[in-house]
Amino acid sequence: MRKLSFVLLFSWLILNSKAQNLSFQAGEKIKFTVYYTVAGIYFNAGTASFSVNEASTADANTYHLIGEGSTNSKYDWIFKVRDRYESYLNTENMQPVKFIRHVSEGKYKKHEEVVFNRHNNTATTKKGTYNVPENVQDVISSVYLARNLDYSKYKPGDKITFNMFFGNDIYNMYIKYMGKEIISTKYGRFNAIKLQPLLLKGNAFKGGEDMTVWVTDDNNHLPVRIQSRLTVGSIKVDLSQYENLKYPLVVN
């Protein structure tokens, strides 16, 4: 893969063919601050945000999911990032019907649209039509689908496998359940579920299990912190704002 998106940091993924939405609602908005660390010094490198809206397509009622990432404007002269990812997710089965990726990272620009046909199990892009697994997800839809998983079914070390269609390829991925921890943030202390997703190798990432994600151990399964090593340095991503959660956030 030539580039790994700024927003792709958040694609810790899990699938369930009969999934129902239990953890989020239309109107939810969450925002994160991304810190870059090198030689023990933290820099406010940028932000990432996700929002949920209601929408309809010709075939289904959908959630319109939007994920955006941008670098801090003061560092744009070094490397400017303005990424926007969109997914139209069927509200009944939590499967994507359309995916849009618009990437602007330095001199690299990319626009991609994918239409999923669930009757034929295909994904169509401007480069052609591809056969895909029945429960394949895109980058953004999988983030929200993951929030609906019942983690009580797993024990530390368990790997949950899934398929993702990205950049005209199918990736066989997994996420490792690592147990539970208490984590402190600007909003207080949370009982959290600890996860390690398998990363795709890219310009910034080595690939493998170098990312750790903590989500709230409540009905929201809201991501509150992400940490990952990079090729040079590391990042820490912290929840900075939220609104219209489906359930009250449980804080210790």
Side-chain angles (χ1 to χ4, degrees), residues 207-219:
E209 298 178 354
D210 278 342
M211 179 181 287
T212 304
V213 179
W214 290 266
V215 303
T216 56
D217 188 16
D218 60 12
N219 290 330

Side-chain angles (χ1 to χ4, degrees), residues 128-185:
T129 297
Y130 304 83
N131 294 323
V132 297
E134 181 179 358
N135 301 316
V136 73
Q137 294 286 315
D138 64 47
V139 169
I140 297 299
S141 69
S142 55
V143 174
Y144 287 87
L145 193 59
R147 290 174 57 184
N148 283 288
L149 188 74
D150 181 1
Y151 291 101
S152 67
K153 296 179 178 179
Y154 304 101
K155 62 182 184 296
D158 281 352
K159 294 180 180 178
I160 307 96
T161 59
F162 62 91
N163 301 112
M164 178 177 70
F165 185 80
F166 182 75
N168 300 312
D169 288 315
I170 298 169
Y171 292 91
N172 301 315
M173 308 288 285
Y174 67 79
I175 183 170
K176 183 187 291 184
Y177 173 69
M178 300 299 292
K180 298 182 179 182
E181 291 184 352
I182 295 177
I183 188 165
S184 297
T185 75

Side-chain angles (χ1 to χ4, degrees), residues 50-103:
F50 294 85
S51 62
V52 182
N53 304 284
E54 291 181 334
S56 295
T57 67
D59 299 322
N61 292 325
T62 65
Y63 294 112
H64 182 196
L65 313 175
I66 301 173
E68 296 180 289
S70 62
T71 46
N72 191 320
S73 58
K74 72 169 69 174
Y75 300 124
D76 280 350
W77 64 276
I78 300 174
F79 190 74
K80 182 178 180 179
V81 173
R82 297 291 186 273
D83 288 351
R84 180 181 172 95
Y85 281 47
E86 301 177 53
S87 180
Y88 290 85
L89 185 66
N90 188 306
T91 58
E92 293 186 2
N93 57 25
M94 295 292 286
Q95 295 184 359
V97 296
K98 186 176 182 179
F99 172 68
I100 301 171
R101 175 168 68 122
H102 185 78
V103 176

